[in-house]
Amino acid sequence: MAKGIVISPDKCTGCRICELACSFIKNDSFNPKDSAIAVLPYDSVGLQVPMTCLQCDDPHCMTVCTVGAITKDPKTGVVKVDDEKCIGCKMCVSACPFGNMTYSSRHEGVVKCDLCDGEPQCVKLCPSDAIEYKELDGPLNKRKNIANLFSDVFGEVAE
Amino acid sequence: MNVKIDGKYYSGNKGETLLELARRNEIEIPSLCYKEGFEGLGRCRLCLVEVIEGNSTKTVSSCVYPIRDGIEVLTNTKNIVNMRKDIIFLLLLRTPNNGYIRKLAEEYGVKAPSRYLDMEREEDCILCGLCVKACEKLGTNAISLVNRGITKKVSTPYDDASKDCIGCGACAEVCPTNAISLVEQDGKRIIWNKTFDLISCTRCGKCYSTEEVLHHIDEQLGVKTQEYLCESCSRRLVGEKFKEAFQNLI
């Protein structure tokens, strides 16, 4: 069963520790711009939405990558970028319908969540459990429920 | 397949090249034109190694040499190091002002006598062809190595603005010596004598890509982009929908 990051915007306090953790673990710097997770603030309604790669089943980024630098692990479901193979055409950045891929010119490479090989540091450091790492296909088929809940949302964005 | 490299045995897969096997086992062999995922080009020749097979010894480019069972490989003999120095010396004469090649020459202790060096020379390309390969892999095939001998260079057909170039800039990105000029200013991107109008995000106005690149993506995905959005704005758009959905839940 694939595990993934589950977000609860109602629990997020907007402290942005996840952004700093990600950028520090991956790029040795505390720069939210180099982070694969971003918190979008909606102060007027008191909501903060942490956004990160959804590790899609049929990833657009992988489809447009002609050099095979992006692969999806069939076991863990993680969509990973091989920096050695990447030629920097940045098509994946434009192709992601959720905008969850960015390009860092400082590191000359794309920034994308790879779930830290099964131990996402953002989840570990989140003080309010707004991001959790858990089984996506639980016995209650939660994933399907969520998908139904958001069908109108994602239907408009994804194909 | 067992291969002995510098006295240690490594097992390799059929069809693998020597350089791939070495990189996989973290054995240092220098190279300029090799990129993982691309087949070896064998152009820069920096990855030279000595291969001993039976009674014969030969010098080969490891990036294009498929391994064979029982061969012995030496990656750092005096002979090999001298040959690499000669190659770097010639590269330094070709590109005397290139930072990367100068650094490499320094590392190998290569000094070119001033009578050979033309410091006025403005050349950065070492003709490794990595950019050509990247363009080919993208399926655009806009650039190629043209001419022969001392006039050899990388260019578009007849140095004109190529109709195939989509302005993605991957060639400039893979270039080991930063020889390809990509200028971005005033909402335009200039590369290979072609000027692209950059598409600006319909929400924030940030110039983020060329129309040709977005068309290329659409073609591969089999979709039609409805609205030109930069990555931050597409993220914001999804975030907003999340927000709305959650607002209704609370």
Side-chain angles (χ1 to χ4, degrees):
Chain A
M1 266 185 273
K3 283 175 96 175
I5 287 182
V6 178
I7 60 165
S8 317
D10 47 331
K11 288 191 202 163
C12 182
T13 61
C15 70
R16 292 170 185 260
I17 283 177
C18 52
E19 292 182 5
L20 296 178
C22 181
S23 122
F24 183 60
I25 291 295
K26 296 294 178 197
N27 294 313
D28 262 342
S29 67
F30 288 110
N31 186 348
K33 278 199 164 168
D34 291 342
S35 163
I37 186 162
V39 179
L40 304 174
Y42 296 99
D43 292 341
S44 55
V45 289
L47 271 178
Q48 316 275 340
V49 183
M51 291 271 298
T52 188
C53 176
L54 306 178
Q55 319 291 349
C56 306
D57 286 336
D58 185 14
H60 279 191
C61 54
M62 191 168 98
T63 313
V64 296
C65 185
T66 46
V67 293
I70 304 180
T71 46
K72 187 172 170 74
D73 191 314
K75 246 192 203 156
T76 58
V78 178
V79 181
K80 230 177 167 176
V81 183
D82 185 338
D83 285 332
E84 292 295 314
K85 285 187 183 173
C86 172
I87 58 168
C89 67
K90 306 183 198 80
M91 301 237 186
C92 49
V93 175
S94 302
C96 177
F98 306 107
N100 281 329
M101 269 182 112
T102 47
Y103 181 82
S104 165
S105 41
R106 250 166 24 94
H107 301 284
E108 295 192 344
V110 287
V111 182
K112 188 199 158 300
C113 173
D114 62 357
L115 297 177
C116 296
D117 292 324
E119 270 181 60
Q121 296 301 306
C122 52
V123 171
K124 213 169 157 186
L125 291 166
C126 178
S128 58
D129 290 336
I131 35 178
E132 290 166 286
Y133 184 58
K134 43 188 185 186
E135 297 286 343
L136 292 177
D137 293 293
L140 293 169
N141 221 347
K142 274 185 193 163
R143 201 178 179 192
K144 213 171 186 179
N145 287 346
I146 294 169
N148 286 338
L149 194 65
F150 284 94
S151 61
D152 58 323
V153 177
F154 290 131
E156 276 182 62
V157 182
E159 286 308 306
Chain B
M1 268 194 251
N2 270 325
V3 179
K4 192 176 174 185
I5 305 179
D6 293 335
K8 274 190 190 165
Y9 285 95
Y10 298 94
S11 84
N13 309 317
K14 199 172 179 247
E16 206 172 17
T17 64
L18 257 178
L19 188 64
E20 279 165 357
L21 178 68
R23 289 276 157 101
R24 200 152 54 78
N25 292 293
E26 288 171 12
I27 300 163
E28 170 99 17
I29 297 176
S31 71
L32 284 170
C33 72
Y34 175 75
K35 180 141 184 77
E36 211 182 287
F38 289 13
E39 47 272 41
L41 299 172
R43 285 221 180 82
C44 75
R45 316 306 278 190
L46 261 195
C47 64
L48 286 177
V49 291
E50 249 173 58
V51 170
I52 305 167
E53 196 172 10
N55 293 326
S56 67
T57 305
K58 54 185 171 184
T59 308
V60 300
S61 278
S62 58
C63 68
V64 285
Y65 193 81
I67 52 167
R68 278 210 288 267
D69 199 31
I71 56 170
E72 188 184 346
V73 182
L74 299 170
T75 67
N76 240 337
T77 61
K78 210 176 155 204
N79 217 351
I80 289 294
V81 172
N82 281 340
M83 275 192 244
R84 281 188 197 143
K85 279 186 177 176
D86 285 346
I87 293 164
I88 296 169
F89 174 73
L90 293 171
L91 289 177
L92 189 62
L93 296 189
R94 184 182 163 82
T95 61
N97 289 310
N98 185 272
Y100 190 84
I101 297 295
R102 282 172 74 132
K103 213 174 114 202
L104 195 67
E106 218 169 272
E107 259 172 50
Y108 273 77
V110 176
K111 282 195 186 88
S114 57
R115 68 178 187 277
Y116 291 135
L117 268 183
D118 173 11
M119 292 310 281
E120 308 272 287
R121 211 182 142 89
E122 280 180 29
E123 179 65 79
D124 287 307
C125 176
I126 55 161
L127 298 173
C128 72
L130 208 50
C131 50
V132 176
K133 198 79 200 170
C135 197
E136 186 192 312
K137 289 263 174 184
L138 274 172
T140 35
N141 288 309
I143 47 171
S144 163
L145 281 160
V146 295
N147 301 341
R148 292 288 175 270
I150 56 164
T151 55
K152 191 173 185 173
K153 61 176 180 177
V154 176
S155 189
T156 51
Y158 307 105
D159 295 338
D160 288 340
S162 162
K163 67 171 178 15
D164 295 324
C165 180
I166 57 171
C168 66
C171 48
E173 198 80 24
V174 293
C175 179
T177 57
N178 264 332
I180 299 170
S181 123
L182 187 153
V183 182
E184 223 167 79
Q185 60 178 15
D186 306 328
K188 294 201 189 315
R189 182 183 287 177
I190 306 166
I191 187 166
W192 296 115
N193 300 325
K194 189 172 180 180
T195 306
F196 294 90
D197 285 321
L198 288 173
I199 296 281
S200 41
C201 173
T202 42
R203 285 189 149 203
C204 69
K206 180 184 137 192
C207 295
Y208 72 105
S209 193
T210 68
E211 196 176 356
E212 286 82 351
V213 167
L214 299 177
H215 272 309
H216 191 86
I217 293 171
D218 280 359
E219 251 171 49
Q220 290 197 57
L221 294 175
V223 295
K224 179 90 192 77
T225 305
Q226 302 297 326
E227 192 184 358
Y228 290 130
L229 288 177
C230 72
E231 63 273 16
S232 324
C233 287
S234 0
R235 186 181 262 178
R236 246 172 255 146
L237 190 75
V238 179
E240 251 163 54
K241 299 200 170 185
F242 252 111
K243 179 203 80 177
E244 275 159 31
F246 264 89
Q247 241 180 313
N248 297 337
L249 282 181
I250 295 169

